[in-house]
Each structure stands twice: as structure tokens, then as C-alpha cells.
Amino acid sequence: MLKDTLNEDLKKAMLEKDNVAKVAIQMIKSAILLWEKDAKNIDKEVTDDVIIEVVAKELKKRKDSLEEIKKSNREDLIADLEKEISLLQKYLPEQLSESEITEIVDAAIKEVGATTIKEMGKVMGLVTPKVKGRADNKLVSEIIKGKLANN
């Protein structure tokens, strides 16, 4: 289970005095704890799917921050953030390629019968569960917009 892997990796990071990995894993564990404490999740168990969702959100935050930090030319922060990003990616399932996402989007558009950008929500509703944790929603959204704008 991913929770056990996180605990083992945290111990390893602490023993190796790898502060960047330690902080990143502790942030994931904190986010999982917040999820557990949330009133609507009180009776739910933390599964690998939940952990993947939490890691994906944390990864997105770091990727967004990386763009801003690159503007400041702080090489030390950039290197740490890039290390955190690569560490977090190891807890996610293998990411889908753009062509694989396009195939899923095409199938969803066909299933829904979407022809205009106004029907994007219907397509996203079908695609999102299929790519959850395996693709960036921003990329998925761009592919859907591209497909529906051409119709």
C-alpha cells in the first residue's frame, strides 16, 4: 500500500538526511491527514486512490510554483522544487501520453455526441475518471477544447 511506502521512504530520507525528500513526504502525509480529518471523509478509509489524488494535487502545486520561482532566478529553490516534483511523480501511476489522452477524449466525444465547446463539461465528466492521477487535467482540458473548437 502507498501509505506504507510513504512511511518507509520518510524513514529512509531521515536516515540519509535528505531534507528535501523528508519535507516533501511530510507534506504529503499532512495532506492525507487533512483529508482524513475532513468531516465528509470521517467514515472513509485512506486508499491508494486517495493518496494518488493527494499526491497529484501536491504535484500540481509544485509545478505551478516552479513557474513562478523560475522567474526569480533562485537556482537553489528551483533545484529543490524539481527534486520534489520528481519524488512525487514516483508515487503516481505511469502517466498517459498525449496520444493516449487524445484516444480517450475522442471516445468520450463520440459517446456523448459532443459537437461544440458548450458540451465540454459532459466530455470532461466522462474523461476525468478515466485519467485520474494519470494525466494533468490542464492538458486534458486543452485537448478537449482543441477537439471541440475544430467542430
Side-chain angles (χ1 to χ4, degrees):
M1 190 170 171
L2 261 173
K3 201 170 189 179
D4 298 330
T5 305
L6 284 167
N7 288 330
E8 289 303 314
D9 289 351
L10 180 59
K11 288 177 192 173
K12 183 179 170 190
M14 292 169 95
L15 286 171
E16 294 174 357
K17 299 192 184 331
D18 183 348
N19 203 41
V20 175
K22 182 184 93 170
V23 168
I25 295 169
Q26 285 175 331
M27 279 195 226
I28 294 170
K29 289 176 64 78
S30 293
I32 293 168
L33 189 61
L34 279 173
W35 184 91
E36 287 177 312
K37 300 288 183 201
D38 190 347
K40 64 184 176 217
N41 299 324
I42 240 31
D43 297 331
K44 296 179 185 172
E45 184 180 331
V46 175
T47 62
D48 282 355
D49 288 341
V50 170
I51 294 173
I52 288 170
E53 191 176 315
V54 167
V55 171
K57 284 180 183 175
E58 292 296 317
L59 182 63
K60 183 180 180 339
K61 287 179 192 175
R62 280 160 184 77
K63 284 183 176 179
D64 292 345
S65 296
L66 184 61
E67 297 304 313
E68 292 301 314
I69 292 174
K70 281 184 177 178
K71 293 175 187 173
S72 70
N73 292 324
R74 293 277 314 269
E75 294 303 320
D76 56 329
L77 295 177
I78 293 170
D80 287 351
L81 209 47
E82 286 173 342
K83 184 176 178 182
E84 280 186 37
I85 288 170
S86 93
L87 177 92
L88 292 179
Q89 286 173 330
K90 121 180 170 183
Y91 298 110
L92 294 175
E94 187 175 327
Q95 298 295 291
L96 295 170
S97 69
E98 198 166 326
S99 63
E100 290 171 317
I101 297 168
T102 302
E103 284 179 33
I104 294 169
V105 167
D106 287 341
I109 288 172
K110 187 175 179 183
E111 186 178 329
V112 172
T115 55
T116 67
I117 198 80
K118 291 178 183 176
E119 297 167 296
M120 183 173 170
K122 292 178 187 176
V123 178
M124 271 304 270
L126 271 180
V127 173
T128 302
K130 295 177 183 175
V131 300
K132 194 172 197 171
R134 300 185 310 146
D136 180 22
N137 275 345
K138 187 176 179 182
L139 175 62
V140 173
S141 176
E142 287 171 5
I143 291 171
I144 293 172
K145 280 180 189 171
K147 293 281 183 179
L148 293 177
N150 294 334
N151 289 343

